[in-house]
């Protein structure tokens, strides 16, 4: 469903600030794979997701989604079939628009028709049913402005929007990191449900090693722009946090004590 072939990305190339963010990443993702992604600060996790979404052009290599080479396709075109949720709950939704208008934007993504005809009755029914599954009571507030919602509610809504038109690839970049623990657990649970229900091919970045082990069927660890560990199936299920810490320590040569992944 997704393939990265030796993808490289350097920011500020040939300047004093040159930063090699991805140093030749190759990855083959099968349909329905749910991959958790861990790694220290600056390892290249967000960059990898941004490149899959088409936010920046890559320096070399290739990206294929569902067998199609999308390397040169811009992000707004990929948005029709790549769903994403960021860390910041403010980013995935439009605060000044109503809940149902936000859902309509997501529902019509990649289709020609804009918002000009308003939200139809039939659509309202679809959104009502979808919102119910969140169990946050948002289905009773469909014309409320999204800016009135809490961070957790907005993140749940963003997740729903990202999966409303079953995406070929779902990208989650620490999407629960800015939420309080209880809300984070709720949104994580919702993630599992939505991914499971639609069998979504997903990549989820987290700095929580327990979550990385518990969720998904495959785990990759990144370090300095490379994938240094890739484990799936039974071997992944047997992993312990201590195993991941040992891997990480080995890769980083002990310079990990202050890393967010460790602190978590
Ligand atoms: N838009 C950008 N412009 C310049 N440098 C960037 C940009 N995005 C990322 N980088 C750099 O690329 C490297 C990888 O960053 P990235 O954000 O992918 O790391 P990360 O693994 O997501 O880290 P974190 O856990 O802190 O979120 C870092 O050195 C970062 O400073
Ligand atoms: Mg990041």
């Amino acid at each position: 469903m997704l393939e990265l072939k030796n993808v490289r990305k350097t920011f500020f190339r040939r300047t004093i600030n040159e930063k090699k963010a991805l140093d030749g990443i190759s990855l083959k993702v099968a349909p329905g794979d749910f991959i958790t992604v861990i790694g220290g600060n600056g390892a290249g996790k967000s960059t990898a997701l941004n490149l899959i979404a088409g936010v920046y052009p890559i320096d070399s290599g290739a990206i294929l989604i569902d067998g199609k080479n999308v390397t040169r396709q811009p992000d707004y075109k990929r948005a029709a079939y790549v769903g994403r949720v960021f860390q910041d709950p403010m980013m995935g939704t439009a605060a000044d628009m109503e809940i149902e208008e936000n859902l309509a934007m997501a529902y019509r993504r990649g289709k020609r028709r804009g918002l000009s005809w308003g939200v139809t009755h039939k659509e309202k029914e679809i959104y009502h049913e979808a919102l119910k599954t969140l169990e946050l009571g948002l289905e009773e507030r469909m014309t409320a402005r999204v800016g009135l919602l809490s961070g957790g509610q907005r993140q749940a809504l963003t997740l729903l929007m990202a999966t409303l038109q079953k995406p070929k690839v779902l990208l989650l970049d620490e999407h629960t990191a800015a939420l309080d623990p209880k809300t984070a657990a709720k949104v994580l649970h919702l993630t599992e449900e939505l991914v499971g229900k639609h069998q979504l091919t997903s990549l989820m970045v987290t700095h929580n090693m327990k979550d990385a082990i518990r969720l998904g069927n495959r785990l990759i660890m990144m370090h300095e722009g490379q994938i240094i560990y890739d484990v799936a199936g039974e071997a992944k299920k047997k992993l312990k946090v201590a195993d991941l810490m040992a891997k990480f320590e080995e890769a980083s040569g002990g310079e990990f004590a202050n890393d967010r992944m460790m602190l978590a």
Side-chain angles (χ1 to χ4, degrees):
M1 188 52 85
L2 168 70
E3 186 173 3
L4 306 187
K5 288 185 183 171
N6 202 16
V7 170
R8 290 177 195 278
K9 179 71 186 177
T10 299
F11 291 104
F12 305 117
R13 187 184 277 285
R14 282 188 281 277
T15 73
I16 192 161
N17 293 319
E18 178 165 307
K19 182 69 213 172
K20 200 186 267 180
L22 285 190
D23 189 13
I25 295 250
S26 294
L27 183 69
K28 268 192 184 178
V29 183
D33 266 355
F34 181 2
I35 304 182
T36 54
V37 184
I38 57 171
N41 303 134
K45 306 178 297 293
S46 296
T47 302
L49 265 55
N50 280 327
L51 295 180
I52 294 166
V55 177
Y56 320 108
I58 63 178
D59 298 339
S60 63
I63 299 177
L64 283 81
I65 296 178
D66 200 9
K68 188 175 165 231
N69 190 329
V70 299
T71 311
R72 279 179 187 76
Q73 193 180 52
D75 58 347
Y76 64 89
K77 289 212 170 130
R78 287 187 217 181
Y81 54 85
V82 175
R84 55 183 322 191
V85 185
F86 303 89
Q87 180 172 344
D88 184 351
M90 306 303 138
M91 294 226 345
T93 44
D96 291 336
M97 289 169 69
E98 298 170 358
I99 291 177
E100 62 179 33
E101 289 170 340
N102 270 274
L103 284 162
M105 277 199 305
Y107 191 63
R108 298 169 189 187
R109 193 169 40 210
K111 294 187 184 146
R112 272 184 76 101
R113 215 180 105 196
L115 272 182
S116 53
W117 294 351
V119 180
T120 65
H121 186 70
K122 188 168 162 272
E123 281 176 311
K124 278 182 206 257
E125 277 174 11
I126 294 170
Y127 306 154
H128 193 271
E129 286 312 297
L131 285 167
K132 256 202 210 159
T133 65
L134 300 183
E135 294 176 15
L136 293 171
L138 297 183
E139 68 276 10
E140 305 304 331
R141 303 170 63 187
M142 282 174 49
T143 54
R145 301 212 176 276
V146 164
L148 298 172
L149 304 182
S150 71
Q153 289 171 330
R154 275 181 85 159
Q155 212 58 334
L157 181 61
T158 307
L159 202 55
L160 191 63
M161 286 166 62
T163 54
L164 201 54
Q165 291 284 3
K166 187 178 169 179
K168 290 185 193 291
V169 180
L170 176 65
L171 305 172
L172 308 166
D173 193 353
E174 302 203 45
H175 68 308
T176 63
L179 306 174
D180 66 81
K182 210 172 143 204
T183 313
K186 258 192 182 173
V187 172
L188 210 56
H189 181 67
L190 178 66
T191 306
E192 281 185 275
E193 272 189 1
L194 286 171
V195 169
K197 185 165 85 181
H198 303 292
Q199 288 296 298
L200 299 174
T201 307
S202 314
L203 267 76
M204 183 181 91
V205 176
T206 175
H207 63 257
N208 186 312
M209 287 185 271
K210 275 191 192 150
D211 290 343
I213 292 170
R214 191 173 61 79
L215 272 72
N217 64 317
R218 184 171 166 192
L219 176 151
I220 62 179
M221 184 184 285
M222 291 184 65
H223 183 67
E224 292 184 348
Q226 296 185 331
I227 294 173
I228 58 162
Y229 187 48
D230 186 343
V231 56
E234 287 306 312
K236 173 180 179 289
K237 279 189 199 150
K238 287 198 202 109
L239 276 177
K240 298 270 177 294
V241 167
D243 301 328
L244 293 180
M245 282 172 70
K247 281 271 169 216
F248 189 48
E249 182 170 13
E250 189 186 314
S252 65
E255 286 175 33
F256 65 93
N258 286 322
D259 201 280
R260 222 149 37 97
M261 186 165 96
M262 285 300 153
L263 296 171

